[in-house]
Amino acid sequence: MAVADWLAALDRRAALRAKAGLTRRLHPRAAGDDVVDLAGNDYLGLATHPEVVAAAARALSAYGLGATGSRLVRGSTDAHHALEDALAGWLGTDRALVFSSGYLANVGAVRALVRPRTLLVSDAHNHASLIDGCRVSGAETVVTPHADVTAVAAALAAAPGRPAVVVTESVFSVDGDLAPLARLHATAREHGALLLVDDAHALGVTGPAGAGAVAAAGLAGEPDVVLTATLSKALGGAGGVVAGPAEFVRHLVETARTFIYDTALPPAVAAGVHAAVGLARTRDDLRADLSRRAALAVRRLRAAGLDVSTPDAAVVSVTAPGPEAATGWAAACRDRAVAVGCFRPPSTPDSRSRLRLTISAGVSQAEFERALEVIVECAP
């Protein structure tokens, strides 16, 4: 194919996406803008906390801008190892391993859990990183209806004697609902399967001392449970973590391509996240405030006649009439200095488009209530 034909084909595909209301655009933000942020994932407001910024600044001065190599070459620093020890202690696992992103952590974890003949049983609402992990692994994958433990049990029962892994989020990223983790674990254990839980939207927000939904379900440290999370949400930084049995973490270090062949997380980020972990463990007051605000958002938006999810953490989903309506709604809010998430197919696991509100303790109560008014007034 000639270059001109290739570029023309890309233009045609872009036109089709635009016609379907699926165009995506970048919206750069300035430092310190006055937008009320209900789109980012800084749940506890730690991204700009003075202790977090100071810890990152000290490491930046000590180590420089980047890690300068992969973790197995020169990229492992004292900052990385201190963070991993802190995460393992908080999560109640043998060990934790830090990756440069939550996406790479999920892809690496799924792939590392696969053996010959492994069956992966994946929830229909799982995040793209888990879906891609299943695809990259090459293992047979059965996608079960959302949060349907009976369907998971049936999929496992249909593959007796095969190694299997049940793959789920804890708090799902689209609608903010909580997976039935205790029941999923009991079902997986009954069939000799492992349970992989992406705790990204629960870590820091739920559970004892904010240790997440896995800990809240009483599954912390169970030998047949592997936990993943991103460090870019409630901890306000970047990177990802896989936590579980020491034997599995050793296996990751020695075999996970998304760990071995990737430049390490910058030490300054690792140090900042380490400080954030220490703060997050002590802030039950912020977690209680997030819960109150989520309940307030549901009441206000439902009172306005909007279709709103029932949140189990700090994610509130509002159904939009369609993709174009969702993008127009989000743009109208942005014009009034309120940032909201806009989810459309294929980012949603069904045909519905949504606004997604992520509640942050870094937003004042007055700003939060004004943002809710703007969302209602801009509704299509």
Side-chain angles (χ1 to χ4, degrees):
M1 177 185 293
V3 171
D5 293 336
W6 169 58
L7 296 176
L10 294 180
D11 280 340
R12 288 193 296 272
R13 292 170 71 177
L16 290 172
R17 288 194 299 272
K19 185 176 181 180
L22 301 179
T23 296
R24 299 173 186 266
R25 293 185 176 88
L26 297 173
H27 299 283
R29 65 181 175 90
D33 65 15
D34 60 356
V35 171
V36 180
D37 189 0
L38 300 186
N41 297 308
D42 186 19
Y43 293 124
L44 300 180
L46 297 181
T48 56
H49 192 284
E51 293 182 31
V52 173
V53 174
R58 288 192 297 271
L60 181 64
S61 178
Y63 290 104
L65 181 61
T68 76
S70 67
R71 290 289 304 274
L72 290 171
V73 180
R74 287 282 290 171
S76 281
T77 68
D78 292 343
H80 292 89
H81 288 265
L83 173 58
E84 288 166 344
D85 288 345
L87 287 168
W90 189 25
L91 300 173
T93 59
D94 288 349
R95 286 185 63 187
L97 187 67
V98 167
F99 288 66
S100 64
S101 75
Y103 186 99
L104 294 178
N106 271 347
V107 172
V110 175
R111 179 65 187 87
L113 287 167
V114 168
R115 295 176 282 160
R117 300 183 62 246
T118 293
L119 175 71
L120 299 174
V121 181
S122 178
D123 189 285
H125 284 204
N126 275 343
H127 189 267
S129 57
L130 292 174
I131 294 170
D132 287 354
C134 293
R135 290 172 176 169
V136 167
S137 76
E140 179 185 354
T141 302
V142 174
V143 178
T144 53
H146 179 50
D148 189 334
V149 179
T150 300
V152 170
L156 294 173
R162 291 177 60 181
V165 183
V166 177
V167 181
T168 186
E169 293 183 63
S170 56
V171 172
F172 286 88
S173 56
V174 174
D175 285 330
D177 55 319
L178 179 64
L181 294 179
R183 292 169 56 211
L184 284 172
H185 179 250
T187 299
R189 179 167 285 184
E190 178 184 350
H191 293 276
L194 303 175
L195 177 64
L196 173 64
V197 182
D198 178 354
D199 221 11
H201 286 277
L203 185 63
V205 178
T206 65
V214 171
L219 303 179
E222 290 292 336
D224 51 358
V225 175
V226 172
L227 180 156
T228 69
T230 179
L231 309 175
S232 61
K233 295 183 171 48
L235 296 177
V241 62
V242 181
E247 297 86 349
F248 180 64
V249 173
R250 179 186 62 200
H251 181 66
L252 287 169
V253 171
E254 296 179 352
T255 69
R257 295 172 69 86
T258 57
F259 177 82
I260 295 169
Y261 300 108
D262 186 50
T263 297
L265 188 72
V269 177
V273 172
H274 188 185
V277 170
L279 292 166
R281 297 184 71 156
T282 67
R283 298 309 302 267
D284 286 342
D285 58 325
L286 294 183
R287 284 181 277 278
D289 187 51
L290 293 180
S291 180
R292 286 192 295 268
R293 291 193 188 189
L296 173 63
V298 170
R299 289 196 304 272
R300 293 274 180 92
L301 298 176
R302 284 181 177 168
L306 299 173
D307 181 7
V308 185
S309 66
T310 300
D312 286 308
V315 175
V316 178
S317 171
V318 190
T319 300
E324 291 183 349
T327 53
W329 193 356
C333 291
R334 186 168 59 251
D335 289 342
R336 296 181 59 179
V338 174
V340 295
C342 179
F343 279 29
R344 300 158 292 161
S347 295
T348 57
D350 50 28
S351 60
R352 288 192 298 138
S353 296
R354 302 158 170 85
L355 293 192
R356 190 185 73 170
L357 318 181
T358 47
I359 299 168
S360 171
V363 173
S364 72
Q365 183 69 26
E367 289 176 324
F368 179 67
E369 294 194 26
R370 181 181 75 80
L372 294 179
E373 293 175 2
V374 168
I375 291 165
V376 169
E377 292 168 4
C378 293

